[in-house]
Amino acid sequence: MIKVGLLGCGNVGQVIVKEHVDVEIVALYDSEISLAEKLAATTGSRAYRNFDEFVRQDFDIVVEAASVEAVKMYAEEILKQGKDVVILSVGALADEKLRKRLEKSALEAGKKVYIPSGAILGLDNLKIGQISGISHLMLRTTKNPKSLGIETDHKMMIFKGRANDCIKRFPKNINVAVALELATEHEAEVELWVDPDIDRNMHEVFVKGEFGDFYIKVNNNPCPDNPATSYLAALSIVTLLKNLDRPIVVGT
Ligand SMILES: NC(=O)c1ccc[n+]([C@@H]2O[C@H](COP(=O)([O-])OP(=O)(O)OC[C@H]3O[C@@H](n4cnc5c(N)ncnc54)[C@H](O)[C@@H]3O)[C@@H](O)[C@H]2O)c1
């Protein structure tokens, strides 16, 4: 059974621990040690106060469900320690220098960096953009204004532009755009909207290319116990882990 080290024991980490299947979670790390200890008590695994000690434990893969900063601080070292890594805070990879360093470390160590689908669907098929022309790639994200700390009584667009510029103003809302860009190897246009009449995060992806065109709309339910987090994002990691060592690989 694949052994997992969990980096980040917040909303997503808690769902992963609760719902994991066919993998063993053996080690936990969070800068908030009490969160790691609480989860350790439910899994029978161990919480570590020190990252260096955590990463040297006997497991195959680290799941990062922490923050962009955590990816910057730890992802290279994880690969150098001979572990694969799942990166949920994929916005970190908008930094090209970091992305190149991770690629190099992964190649040298013979390990992989996995980017889960997170809060959207369709990253597998979007990879056709790597071999065939894409003329239009647009992400429209709509959230309740309260989730962005905005007061308004009407629907409005608060950002339109390139993903790299969105990062500067809304750093926590860039994961999906960066995942789309990495999958397609094309730049994405981003629109960020707030709408007081919706209570779920909505992502719409518009794509046109040589293949034709498609539109994906995802209305994300929050986690059952954690309204701040899209359940789909946590489930995408649980599914990725479950399928890692399966002999038949579907939809890559
Ligand atoms: N790719 C996607 O579609 C997608 C979807 C949802 C969430 N996310 C990202 O996943 C991450 C986790 O989301 P969440 O809702 O569980 O967040 P959260 O804030 O509930 O939990 C994050 C946990 O990680 C810990 N942490 C943060 N930085 C750390 C560091 N440098 N070292 C050690 N521990 C650290 C925090 O103490 C916290 O307990 C976030 O970065 C979020 O933006 C991505």
Side-chain angles (χ1 to χ4, degrees):
M1 201 181 275
I2 287 178
K3 291 183 187 162
V4 177
L6 182 59
L7 165 55
C9 303
N11 291 322
V12 171
Q14 286 162 32
V15 180
I16 292 169
V17 165
K18 195 171 165 193
E19 309 217 2
H20 71 278
V21 261
D22 298 344
V23 298
E24 192 185 352
I25 297 173
V26 299
L28 302 153
Y29 178 71
D30 194 298
S31 48
E32 204 56 61
I33 180 70
S34 62
L35 290 175
E37 282 171 343
K38 199 169 142 202
L39 281 191
T42 67
T43 54
S45 49
R46 196 172 149 196
Y48 292 85
R49 284 184 178 271
N50 179 298
F51 174 80
D52 292 331
E53 201 188 342
F54 161 79
V55 79
R56 284 179 170 74
Q57 299 308 307
D58 176 24
F59 51 74
D60 310 292
I61 186 163
V62 170
V63 172
E64 176 281 321
S67 62
V68 164
E69 290 68 35
V71 176
K72 290 184 176 166
M73 288 165 73
Y74 303 130
E76 264 182 285
E77 184 56 23
I78 291 166
L79 293 163
K80 284 179 184 162
Q81 288 297 326
K83 271 99 180 175
D84 296 313
V85 59
V86 179
I87 294 183
L88 187 61
S89 306
V90 60
L93 301 194
D95 177 344
E96 199 182 335
K97 284 187 188 150
L98 174 67
R99 199 170 71 234
K100 292 237 153 81
R101 287 206 310 274
L102 293 185
E103 253 167 23
K104 187 166 175 277
S105 301
L107 282 170
E108 283 171 3
K111 293 292 148 188
K112 299 256 189 226
V113 176
Y114 293 96
I115 309 296
S117 291
I120 54 157
L121 302 170
L123 284 189
D124 50 353
N125 277 342
L126 279 162
K127 285 190 280 187
I128 53 146
Q130 299 172 13
I131 54 153
S132 174
I134 285 195
S135 53
H136 181 63
L137 172 64
M138 206 265 270
L139 168 69
R140 180 186 295 147
T141 296
T142 310
K143 297 189 170 184
N144 186 287
K146 282 189 199 138
S147 72
L148 293 165
I150 293 173
E151 289 280 332
T152 180
D153 59 3
H154 61 277
K155 183 175 175 179
M156 62 179 184
M157 187 164 70
I158 56 168
F159 176 85
K160 182 179 169 71
R162 293 180 46 221
N164 267 338
D165 297 322
C166 191
I167 294 173
K168 291 167 200 150
R169 288 179 52 199
F170 302 99
K172 290 190 174 162
N173 291 279
I174 199 65
N175 289 312
V176 172
V178 173
L180 289 172
E181 290 193 343
L182 288 174
T184 57
E185 296 181 350
H186 281 260
E187 222 171 68
E189 271 177 61
V190 180
E191 285 184 8
L192 190 54
W193 289 73
V194 289
D195 181 352
D197 293 331
I198 66 162
D199 54 5
R200 299 186 292 172
N201 292 346
M202 180 169 83
H203 296 292
E204 294 168 278
V205 183
F206 303 79
V207 189
K208 270 189 198 154
E210 283 167 5
F211 67 92
D213 59 82
F214 68 81
Y215 165 69
I216 304 169
K217 177 176 169 183
V218 185
N219 293 308
N220 272 305
N221 282 345
C223 289
D225 302 326
N226 298 298
T229 296
S230 295
Y231 194 34
L232 184 63
L235 291 179
S236 81
I237 294 189
V238 174
T239 317
L240 185 156
L241 293 174
K242 178 178 164 56
N243 281 272
L244 266 183
D245 63 355
R246 285 198 163 185
I248 295 180
V249 182
V250 182
T252 59

